[in-house]
């Protein structure tokens, strides 16, 4: 009877800023689900609330979270109104700030085979796939790789600058994860003749325009997209001041030192490389967690004004770095990261 009197409750309307795209969201659907059904290239990857790719800022309205956003987003991000679109069910009309990629940047899937595997450290290898058709990406983005016996896709960030006409070979730094489906098979040499499906490019991790300094923070294989970003920026003669912080446990975790020195030599602005080792004491290398180097790095870059930060690596390192950066006055909008989550992160998020 009430239904007859008052009619059906209208579906919540969502407006995306700055694109201006609008759509209404069906009952019990997430913002991401509905955006994708409406043909929008809303950034996403895992769809289960662990990777952070669909991180967006709620400008107005109210959402219900299927899994608490706080499993993946930092306290600072929650306070600033960030949500995960894949976990957000609208409870009212919404305005959401999110960068939608251009239509020509939509991911494509190509076939590929591993053509080289090179040792970089005791647990990191540079893996190169030859792909059947040129793959376009922005420096800093990642690809999703699938293989016939695999349990699902795995994400790997390109470690090199993109070729303008698309890359025929694509490489990433891959760290061995004990018990991991892809990395154990790779390190055991079992994937040599395997046909891969490679989907790319994904992610919103690329160098934003600007004049201010750049702080890069990486841990483990998190150096992969940072090298891509730096190689590309050096080739484009970017002249902004840079500090690259890299964290490992011991000296054996350091790699790409010659490549970093080569980029530093041709960089047009100031370029400082600061590795930090949390366990081993090594002459000339900072001792401690890499995130403790952030305050000094910001000072060396002349303060947090106009500074942009780019970070990749294990989720705890990113969370600590976001807290440190915002504490030092860096705006959340100027902080960009990819958390290298894996199957254990997804399980942990639901524990
Ligand atoms: C955006 C993005 C970019 C990335 N880029 C890179 C990169 O450039 N380089 C890189 O090395 N990595 C990167 N990663 C991580 C990468 O995608 C893989 O997650 C990682 O290599 C592990 O894959 P795997 O198949 O070996 O392990 P998985 O099979 O995913 O297993 C990982 C761990 O979880 C455990 N596990 C598996 N299932 C469960 C479960 N149900 N419950 C609890 N634990 C479980 C396994 O034993 C193992 O210890 C990236 C991740 C993301 C999201
Ligand atoms: S797509 Fe939403 S967190 Fe991964």
């Amino acid at each position: 009877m009430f239904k007859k009197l008052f009619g059906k409750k209208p579906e919540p309307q969502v407006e995306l800023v700055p694109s201006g795209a609008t759509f209404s969201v069906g009952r019990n659907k997430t913002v991401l689900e509905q955006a994708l059904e409406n043909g929008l290239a809303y950034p996403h990857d895992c769809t289960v609330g662990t990777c952070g790719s669909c991180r967006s800022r709620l400008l107005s309205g109210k959402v219900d979270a299927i899994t608490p956003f706080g499993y993946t987003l930092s306290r600072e991000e929650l306070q600033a109104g960030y949500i995960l679109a894949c976990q957000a069910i609208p409870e009212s009309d919404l305005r959401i700030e999110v960068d939608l990629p251009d239509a020509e940047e939509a991911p494509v899937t190509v076939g590929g085979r591993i053509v080289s595997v090179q040792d970089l450290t005791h647990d990191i290898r540079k893996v190169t796939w030859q792909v059947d058709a040129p793959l376009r990406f922005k420096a800093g983005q990642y690809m999703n790789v699938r293989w016939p016996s695999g349990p699902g896709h795995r994400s790997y960030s390109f470690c090199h600058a993109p070729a303008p006409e698309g890359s025929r070979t694509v490489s990433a730094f891959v760290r061995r994860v004990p018990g991991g489906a892809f990395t154990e098979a790779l390190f055991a040499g079992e994937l040599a003749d395997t046909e891969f499906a490679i989907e790319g490019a994904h992610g919103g991790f690329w160098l934003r325009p600007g004049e201010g300094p750049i702080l890069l923070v990486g841990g483990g294989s998190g150096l992969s997209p940072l090298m891509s970003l730096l190689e590309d920026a050096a080739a484009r003669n970017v002249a902004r001041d840079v500090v690259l912080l890299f964290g490992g446990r011991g000296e054996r975790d350091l790699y790409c030192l010659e490549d970093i020195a080569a980029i530093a030599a041709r960089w047009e602005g100031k370029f400082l490389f600061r590795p930090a080792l949390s366990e081993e004491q090594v002459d000339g290398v900072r001792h401690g967690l890499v995130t403790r180097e952030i305050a000094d790095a910001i000072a060396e870059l002349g303060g947090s004004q106009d500074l942009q930060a780019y970070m990749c690596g294990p989720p705890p390192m990113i969370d600590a770095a976001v807290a440190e950066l915002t504490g030092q006055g860096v705006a959340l909008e100027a902080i960009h990261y990819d958390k290298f989550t894996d199957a254990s992160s997804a399980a942990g998020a639901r524990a």
Side-chain angles (χ1 to χ4, degrees), residues 205 217-223 225-226 311-318 337-341:
F205 188 80
V217 186
S221 51
L223 193 55
L226 302 184
M311 310 182 289
C312 270
M317 183 202 86
I318 305 282
Y337 62 78
D338 268 341
K339 285 184 185 179
F340 283 9
T341 49

Side-chain angles (χ1 to χ4, degrees), residues 29 59 62 75 98 139 184 231 264 280 286 295-296 326 347:
K29 285 204 170 156
L59 301 176
K62 202 162 177 285
R75 201 178 51 205
V98 61
E184 288 286 27
E231 254 188 34
E280 199 180 347
R286 309 271 178 123
D296 280 359
T326 50

Side-chain angles (χ1 to χ4, degrees), residues 54-312:
C54 64
R55 184 182 87 130
S56 325
R57 193 138 77 103
L58 185 60
L59 301 176
S60 67
K62 202 162 177 285
V63 295
D64 191 24
I66 300 173
T67 27
F69 304 140
Y71 283 135
T72 298
L73 299 179
S74 66
R75 201 178 51 205
E76 294 76 15
E77 288 169 316
L78 294 175
Q79 280 166 357
Y82 282 90
I83 59 167
L84 295 174
C86 71
Q87 299 300 297
I89 304 218
E91 291 200 327
S92 69
D93 291 349
L94 310 175
R95 279 187 84 230
I96 296 177
E97 187 179 57
V98 61
D99 281 334
L100 297 183
D102 298 337
E104 65 271 17
E105 292 172 353
V108 296
T109 302
V110 298
R113 278 152 305 282
I114 292 177
V115 288
S116 117
V117 179
Q118 182 194 343
D119 281 341
L120 295 176
T121 72
H122 60 105
D123 68 350
I124 297 179
R125 289 181 176 174
K126 178 178 175 181
V127 183
T128 302
W129 286 263
Q130 189 164 52
V131 286
D132 296 342
L135 207 54
R136 289 176 185 273
F137 63 93
K138 284 187 191 168
Q141 285 191 300
Y142 67 91
M143 59 186 150
N144 284 335
V145 307
R146 285 187 178 78
W147 68 109
S149 59
H153 76 258
R154 298 292 184 259
S155 307
Y156 295 103
S157 306
F158 303 103
C159 66
H160 50 93
E165 67 288 358
S167 301
R168 281 281 181 180
T169 58
V170 288
S171 306
F173 301 157
V174 177
R175 187 178 68 85
R176 178 170 171 248
V177 179
F182 176 75
T183 57
E184 288 286 27
L186 174 80
F187 276 65
E190 292 166 5
L191 299 172
D193 300 318
T194 302
E195 294 282 331
F196 284 85
I198 300 180
E199 185 193 73
H202 286 283
F205 188 80
W206 63 76
L207 187 64
R208 301 316 195 255
E211 302 292 320
I214 303 168
L215 175 57
L216 306 164
V217 186
S221 51
L223 193 55
S224 203
L226 302 184
M227 291 302 288
S228 170
L229 206 135
L230 283 171
E231 254 188 34
D232 181 62
R236 290 188 291 112
N237 300 321
V238 169
R240 298 160 65 180
D241 291 346
V242 166
V243 173
L244 168 61
L245 299 178
F246 178 76
R249 292 199 170 112
E251 199 169 12
R252 67 181 191 152
D253 295 323
L254 300 179
Y255 64 106
C256 278
L257 300 181
E258 284 178 12
D259 296 328
I260 293 169
I263 290 173
R266 67 189 172 120
W267 194 263
E268 302 224 344
K270 172 157 91 176
F271 189 109
L272 299 172
F273 173 50
R274 297 256 183 276
L277 300 177
S278 60
E279 289 176 5
E280 199 180 347
Q281 300 256 23
V282 174
D283 281 350
V285 181
R286 309 271 178 123
H287 181 63
L289 289 173
V290 67
T291 47
R292 296 222 188 105
E293 300 299 322
I294 287 176
D296 280 359
I298 292 176
E300 284 179 298
L301 289 169
S304 59
Q305 178 81 18
D306 297 331
L307 181 142
Q308 293 172 350
Y310 297 87
M311 310 182 289
C312 270

